[in-house]
């Protein structure tokens, strides 16, 4: 992405964008109008900062969110099938998984062995 695209996607005016990143407004205008080019690493850093602040959502970010959602759904389905449902045991296993006390692989192994987790 170019600087102008990043700024437009962030919804910030040139002044606000320049202030946010401590860039002289004249430099930002030169970058946006193609009179000068910012270093590639600067574009990358600005994009990363905007993404981390939730001001820019890239396709890569959305793909990562979707992968994490699928992973969580899978973990919940496995934990549900390894317990008697959403009861105290389920919540305990879920807490153990979140705390890293039991791996998803261990839960899957038990499920595949038709073993309930107590």
């Amino acid at each position: 992405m170019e600087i102008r695209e990043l700024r437009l996607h962030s919804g910030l005016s040139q002044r606000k964008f320049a202030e946010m990143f401590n860039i002289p407004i004249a430099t930002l205008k030169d970058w946006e109008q193609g009179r000068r080019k910012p270093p590639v690493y600067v574009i990358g850093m600005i994009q990363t900062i905007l993404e981390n602040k939730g001001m820019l959502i890239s396709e890569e970010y959305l793909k990562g969110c979707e992968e994490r959602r699928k992973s969580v759904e899978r973990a919940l389905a496995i934990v549900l099938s390894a317990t008697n449902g959403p009861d105290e045991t389920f919540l305990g296993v879920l807490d153990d998984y979140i705390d890293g006390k039991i791996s998803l692989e261990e839960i899957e192994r038990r499920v595949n062995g038709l073993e309930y987790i107590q």
Side-chain angles (χ1 to χ4, degrees):
M1 244 186 225
E2 297 292 325
I3 287 291
R4 185 169 193 277
E5 290 175 288
L6 290 172
R7 182 183 63 76
L8 291 173
H9 284 300
S10 73
L12 296 172
S13 66
Q14 284 182 327
R15 184 178 59 78
K16 292 282 186 189
F17 192 88
E19 287 173 1
M20 180 178 186
F21 293 103
N22 202 25
I23 301 168
I25 189 80
T27 299
L28 178 61
K29 287 180 179 184
D30 284 347
W31 288 349
E32 287 193 3
Q33 294 172 6
R35 289 190 293 264
R36 293 176 52 200
K37 284 209 167 263
V40 173
Y41 72 89
V42 169
I43 295 171
M45 289 190 316
I46 288 174
Q47 183 171 345
T48 299
I49 291 168
L50 290 171
E51 286 172 353
N52 288 337
K53 288 183 168 277
M55 298 175 73
L56 179 70
I57 299 177
S58 67
E59 288 299 317
E60 186 175 305
Y61 175 80
L62 290 174
K63 183 180 176 184
C65 288
E66 181 63 18
E67 288 173 8
R68 285 188 297 280
R69 183 188 64 76
K70 287 178 181 176
S71 175
V72 168
E73 285 177 351
R74 182 171 168 254
L76 286 173
I78 290 168
V79 173
L80 273 170
S81 65
T83 62
N84 291 320
D87 58 8
E88 299 239 356
T89 303
F90 167 80
L91 294 174
V93 172
L94 190 58
D95 283 341
D96 286 348
Y97 171 68
I98 291 168
D99 293 340
K101 295 177 185 171
I102 187 169
S103 69
L104 191 55
E105 290 77 21
E106 174 64 15
I107 296 170
E108 283 181 307
R109 185 189 65 71
R110 291 182 180 188
V111 169
N112 290 338
L114 302 174
E115 175 187 342
Y116 281 107
I117 299 173
Q118 319 257 348

